[in-house]
Amino acid sequence: MSNSSSSYYGTLIFTSYGSLGNLRYLYITFALLTYVLTVFANVFLMLVIYLESSLHKPMYIFLFNLALNGLYGSSAFYPKLMDHLLSDVQGSSYVGCLVQVFCISTYGTCAYAILTVMAYDRYISICKPLQYYNIMTPAKVRKLLAFSYFFPISGISVHVWLTSRLPLCRFTIHKLFCHNLAVVNLSCADTRLNNAFGLLLTTGLVVLPFILVVLSYQRILIVSVKASKEAQRKAWSTCAPHLITFANFSMATLFSVIYNRLELYVPTYVNLMMSLHIVVIPPLLHPVIYGLRTQEIRKSILKMLSTRRLFTVSSVSCHVTS
């Protein structure tokens, strides 16, 4: 069997789990609860947006897709994590590892793209309010969403394909889950093409979106300074959830880059925090932040709960009367 073909049949071993002992059950419980909370928060937010017609606007359509992407990223991470915690040997097939690389990478890059088009939406809403609905048409929203998915998925597909061509000479990963750079480092072949393409992807799918969001908020700030106090308050209330979400995800992305580039030159607990941040914190906190900070969503939630309460009371009254 050739070296390249044998790579597909080897088992990759994750060494960062160490000796779990009886603590495995505590970790599994924590992981399961966090995953359930993440799924509930995102599904609940998606249902509110879907069921409430007043939220069928570009901003909330983008938010719906951000929540959907959070579900996708969490589901690419937690089930495998819990499987590792239950196992005495934490391993993965090479193909399974590449699938996880693709899923987690597309989750991260698509999230950044969606946050970028959300910043564009806020820029149009605040800087060009009278032209908002002429610019943010349903067709434009569909194109922006298509952009948010097509380029990240296409770029990551090529990146993973380049990685899959590398023959492996090592099978030990010093991580908690599969990451592209960790898999590339298992090869003894020339990886300059992979590293160059990875740098190109990071520039196009992370650095460029970051710059575009910063420029959008620079324009928003300039317009807000010249506006009235009431207009400034309204601009802040609509932008605050996105700013908090974007800052949180940018920090998670920075931690992820540091984690994967520094390898073992960081303490174990820092290593663990960096590896988990991007797949644990954003999917859980983003729907909570928008639910608490966005007035229209809060009103919609209260409206739905009030309607359900009235329906329940009415049903009980009818039953007693009959």
Side-chain angles (χ1 to χ4, degrees):
M1 185 181 295
S2 67
N3 192 25
S4 60
S5 63
S6 65
S7 299
Y8 286 92
Y9 296 95
T11 298
L12 305 182
I13 304 298
F14 301 88
T15 62
S16 293
Y17 289 88
S19 179
L20 296 173
N22 291 330
L23 287 175
R24 73 172 69 237
Y25 301 107
L26 176 63
Y27 296 148
I28 291 170
T29 302
F30 179 76
L32 179 60
L33 287 175
T34 306
Y35 182 44
V36 170
L37 285 174
T38 301
V39 171
F40 174 79
N42 284 280
V43 169
F44 182 74
L45 180 61
M46 290 165 64
L47 283 174
V48 171
I49 295 172
Y50 177 77
L51 295 174
E52 183 55 53
S53 58
S54 64
L55 298 179
H56 295 176
K57 302 174 183 177
M59 173 183 173
Y60 301 108
I61 294 173
F62 296 140
L63 180 55
F64 181 96
N65 281 268
L66 186 65
L68 181 63
N69 187 64
L71 279 178
Y72 166 68
S74 299
S75 298
F77 169 70
Y78 281 105
K80 194 62 179 176
L81 172 69
M82 289 185 281
D83 177 62
H84 285 162
L85 292 173
L86 284 170
S87 304
D88 293 327
V89 177
Q90 291 76 35
S92 170
S93 67
Y94 185 57
V95 173
C97 192
L98 290 177
V99 170
Q100 188 176 53
V101 167
F102 174 81
C103 292
I104 292 180
S105 297
T106 49
Y107 147 73
T109 50
C110 285
Y112 227 84
I114 294 170
L115 287 169
T116 303
V117 298
M118 291 175 76
Y120 173 73
D121 174 76
R122 293 299 83 206
Y123 161 74
I124 298 297
S125 175
I126 294 171
C127 299
K128 301 180 180 181
L130 299 179
Q131 305 173 50
Y132 180 77
Y133 287 105
N134 291 329
I135 297 175
M136 298 300 294
T137 61
K140 182 70 168 288
V141 171
R142 287 193 294 269
K143 288 179 182 178
L144 288 172
L145 284 174
F147 167 85
S148 301
Y149 289 114
F150 177 76
F151 286 101
I153 291 174
S154 299
I156 296 301
S157 296
V158 174
H159 202 28
V160 173
W161 175 75
L162 288 174
T163 300
S164 70
R165 297 172 65 249
L166 295 174
L168 303 186
C169 58
R170 292 181 292 271
F171 296 88
T172 302
I173 297 181
H174 305 295
K175 310 289 181 183
L176 289 173
F177 57 91
C178 292
H179 185 275
N180 190 74
L181 185 60
V183 178
V184 169
N185 288 339
L186 297 178
S187 177
C188 297
D190 187 352
T191 61
R192 286 178 294 181
L193 176 61
N194 297 73
N195 293 329
F197 191 78
L199 181 61
L200 178 65
L201 274 186
T202 302
T203 302
L205 300 178
V206 177
V207 177
L208 181 59
F210 180 85
I211 293 173
L212 291 175
V213 172
V214 171
L215 290 176
S216 296
Y217 276 104
Q218 181 185 37
R219 294 297 304 167
I220 289 172
L221 181 61
I222 292 172
V223 171
S224 299
V225 167
K226 300 176 182 178
S228 63
K229 294 293 183 181
E230 178 62 23
Q232 291 178 8
R233 185 196 63 78
K234 185 176 180 181
W236 167 247
S237 66
T238 59
C239 291
H242 180 266
L243 268 174
I244 296 170
T245 302
F246 179 75
N248 176 56
F249 199 81
S250 295
M251 184 168 61
T253 303
L254 177 63
F255 279 5
S256 179
V257 171
I258 293 174
Y259 163 70
N260 289 294
R261 289 292 175 182
L262 291 185
E263 292 294 320
L264 300 178
Y265 298 110
V266 291
T268 303
Y269 68 92
V270 177
N271 195 324
L272 181 64
M273 180 188 70
M274 287 181 177
S275 66
L276 295 179
H277 190 173
I278 196 167
V279 289
V280 173
I281 304 301
L284 177 60
L285 287 189
H286 289 174
V288 176
I289 290 169
Y290 270 96
L292 294 176
R293 296 286 306 183
T294 306
Q295 187 176 6
E296 287 188 71
I297 291 179
R298 289 202 309 270
K299 287 181 178 179
S300 297
I301 293 173
L302 292 174
K303 178 183 175 182
M304 291 174 62
L305 293 176
S306 176
T307 303
R308 183 176 180 181
R309 190 180 301 113
L310 287 173
F311 177 78
T312 303
V313 172
S314 176
S315 299
V316 172
S317 299
C318 291
H319 179 71
V320 172
T321 303
S322 61

